[in-house]
């Protein structure tokens, strides 16, 4: 596709449920990032993939959060036992390499009720 | 740990004014710095990328400068328009593996 695509655009879930958020990066981009953004704040780093492997997952807040990128393209961010504090916009970005621009998707707004 | 600060947090100007947004970072060993704009409820749109070896980059009415040694970047917007109203975010790549963002400057350009 022309840009980074994230689905769904909005997700409302009940506390304690499991959710999956999907990111389709720009074709050919080997680097993929997940960020989380709360209202009025800058994006907060969660995890970085280089190809299929998670090169840096130090931003994941706890073991309820997990992300995969099995074929080096689409990535899924998985959140178990959701809590109200997980409510935020989850942003995905991709770039060709560390010397090029990062492009962001429109985000998934997650609301945990 | 890299920390990025953007000043001011909010700025309101009349249409046509030239303006400067500021970004400072604590670790000067960076790969590059990128400026983004974010419209309400939307994702981030890339504006300019400056490599660590560069001093400035220009795109249309936008000019971004980088002074790596002092840990500063500025985004200059010439002849501002109401359509420029958005939040502007600065992001620094220190490790080659992640971008560290500031909190953003919320710009309002009044017609």
């Amino acid at each position: 596709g022309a840009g980074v695509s994230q689905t769904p655009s909005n997700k409302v879930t009940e506390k304690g449920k499991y959710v999956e958020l999907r990111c389709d990066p720009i074709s050919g981009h080997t680097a993929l990032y997940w960020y989380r953004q709360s209202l009025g704040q800058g994006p907060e780093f969660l995890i970085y993939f280089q190809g299929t492997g998670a090169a840096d997952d130090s931003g994941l807040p706890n073991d309820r959060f997990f992300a995969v990128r099995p074929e080096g393209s689409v990535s899924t961010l998985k959140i178990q036992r959701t809590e109200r504090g997980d409510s935020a916009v989850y942003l995905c970005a991709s770039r060709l390499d560390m010397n090029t621009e990062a492009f962001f998707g429109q985000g998934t707004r997650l609301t945990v009720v | 740990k890299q920390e990025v600060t953007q000043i001011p947090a909010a700025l309101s100007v009349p249409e046509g004014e030239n303006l400067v947004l500021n970004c400072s970072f604590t670790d000067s060993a960076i790969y590059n710095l990128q400026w983004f704009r974010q419209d309400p409820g939307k994702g981030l749109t890339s504006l300019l990328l400056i490599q660590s070896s560069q001093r400035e980059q220009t795109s249309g009415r936008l000019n971004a400068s980088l002074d790596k040694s002092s840990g500063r970047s500025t985004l200059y917007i010439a002849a501002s328009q109401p359509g420029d109203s958005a939040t502007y975010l600065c992001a620094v790549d220190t490790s080659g593996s992640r971008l560290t963002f500031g909190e953003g400057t919320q710009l309002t350009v009044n017609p």
Side-chain angles (χ1 to χ4, degrees):
Chain A
V4 178
S5 175
Q6 291 187 246
T7 54
S9 54
N10 280 285
K11 176 72 177 177
V12 180
T13 190
E14 292 181 349
K15 179 175 177 295
K17 299 288 189 184
Y18 168 83
V19 296
E20 288 190 352
L21 311 180
R22 177 188 167 108
C23 173
D24 255 289
I26 293 172
S27 178
H29 282 194
T30 56
L32 184 145
Y33 306 80
W34 283 99
Y35 283 81
R36 177 168 70 173
Q37 187 177 29
S38 300
L39 194 64
Q41 307 281 315
E44 172 194 19
F45 171 78
L46 295 176
I47 187 169
Y48 155 62
F49 286 91
Q50 180 58 43
T52 60
D56 183 354
D57 64 358
S58 61
L60 295 176
N62 52 59
D63 61 6
R64 295 187 298 105
F65 288 75
F66 189 69
V68 296
R69 194 185 185 199
E71 297 178 357
S73 178
V74 171
S75 176
T76 305
L77 178 65
K78 309 180 181 197
I79 310 174
Q80 298 178 324
R81 304 183 304 279
T82 51
E83 299 177 356
R84 292 196 179 86
D86 298 335
S87 297
V89 175
Y90 289 81
L91 296 166
C92 175
S94 71
R95 60 179 175 175
L96 193 58
D97 58 51
M98 67 182 187
N99 296 311
T100 57
E101 286 176 283
F103 294 93
F104 279 76
Q106 295 295 296
T108 294
R109 181 175 300 279
L110 175 66
T111 304
V112 182
V113 298
Chain B
K1 180 187 168 187
Q2 179 72 272
E3 292 182 3
V4 180
T5 304
Q6 291 188 245
I7 295 172
L11 181 63
S12 181
V13 301
E15 181 177 4
E17 195 161 296
N18 302 326
L19 58 101
V20 174
L21 307 180
N22 297 289
C23 172
S24 61
F25 46 95
T26 54
D27 183 350
S28 62
I30 67 170
Y31 283 88
N32 52 57
L33 182 146
Q34 197 167 348
W35 282 94
F36 296 87
R37 79 173 268 168
Q38 186 173 32
D39 294 283
K42 304 291 186 183
L44 279 64
T45 300
S46 177
L47 297 174
L48 289 163
L49 171 73
I50 312 179
Q51 301 293 348
S52 62
S53 58
Q54 296 175 319
R55 298 282 295 182
E56 66 179 271
Q57 279 282 7
T58 299
S59 176
R61 294 182 294 107
L62 305 180
N63 176 278
S65 70
L66 175 64
D67 183 343
K68 207 173 65 163
S69 61
S70 67
R72 293 183 182 178
S73 176
T74 61
L75 180 67
Y76 174 82
I77 303 177
S80 58
Q81 303 170 356
D84 294 332
S85 298
T87 296
Y88 289 79
L89 291 156
C90 161
V92 176
D93 185 347
T94 306
S95 61
S97 69
R98 69 168 77 179
L99 299 177
T100 302
F101 282 84
E103 304 269 291
T105 293
Q106 186 174 354
L107 173 66
T108 303
V109 181
N110 301 299

